[in-house]
Amino acid sequence: MPRCTIPKTLSDDSSSSGSKERAFDEMKMTDVHAPHENDVLMGRGGKNNQHVGNEQLRTLARGRSMDYQKASKKGKSSISRELVRIVREMKPPGRFLRKNP
């Protein structure tokens, strides 16, 4: 399986602090050889869409879709950050991965 990395843009979270932030900073530099069940694979295509982590994220997003549609721009950003936080707090922690070019 191709190696993946955690994109800096998704691993940066200005709202987190302390040890959690340091843990995410350490993950930025990690090469992932095999994604686990809570990882979200970024990109297009059937394999990414069918990955269990992507399916979990879509289920979470569907659960918040009505709130998202009614939310202001700031509220939409808050809902998006909440979804990222939920994925990251799963056991094992979910990561947002993309293939190395």
Side-chain angles (χ1 to χ4, degrees):
M1 173 165 273
R3 291 179 9 178
C4 300
T5 57
I6 299 168
K8 183 175 168 64
T9 55
L10 287 176
S11 56
D12 287 345
D13 184 6
S14 58
S15 65
S16 66
S17 61
S19 62
K20 280 187 183 180
E21 186 174 337
R22 282 189 294 278
F24 291 130
D25 286 344
E26 290 171 15
M27 286 194 318
K28 286 182 214 172
M29 303 307 287
T30 303
D31 285 332
V32 178
H33 297 283
H36 61 67
E37 70 272 11
N38 293 332
D39 287 338
V40 176
L41 306 180
M42 296 172 45
R44 299 175 53 178
K47 286 189 177 186
N48 289 352
N49 289 334
Q50 293 171 1
H51 183 70
V52 66
N54 292 56
E55 291 173 351
Q56 291 178 113
L57 178 59
R58 279 196 303 277
T59 300
L60 290 168
R62 281 188 200 107
R64 295 302 312 271
S65 65
M66 293 302 291
D67 295 332
Y68 187 88
Q69 290 175 14
K70 296 175 186 177
S72 65
K73 185 173 181 178
K74 188 175 182 178
K76 289 179 180 183
S77 293
S78 177
I79 291 169
S80 298
R81 281 192 304 275
E82 177 187 349
L83 293 173
V84 170
R85 180 187 54 77
I86 290 168
V87 169
R88 288 178 171 169
E89 290 178 351
M90 291 176 172
K91 302 293 183 212
R95 303 164 292 185
F96 293 84
L97 305 174
R98 69 170 176 228
K99 278 187 185 177
N100 279 341

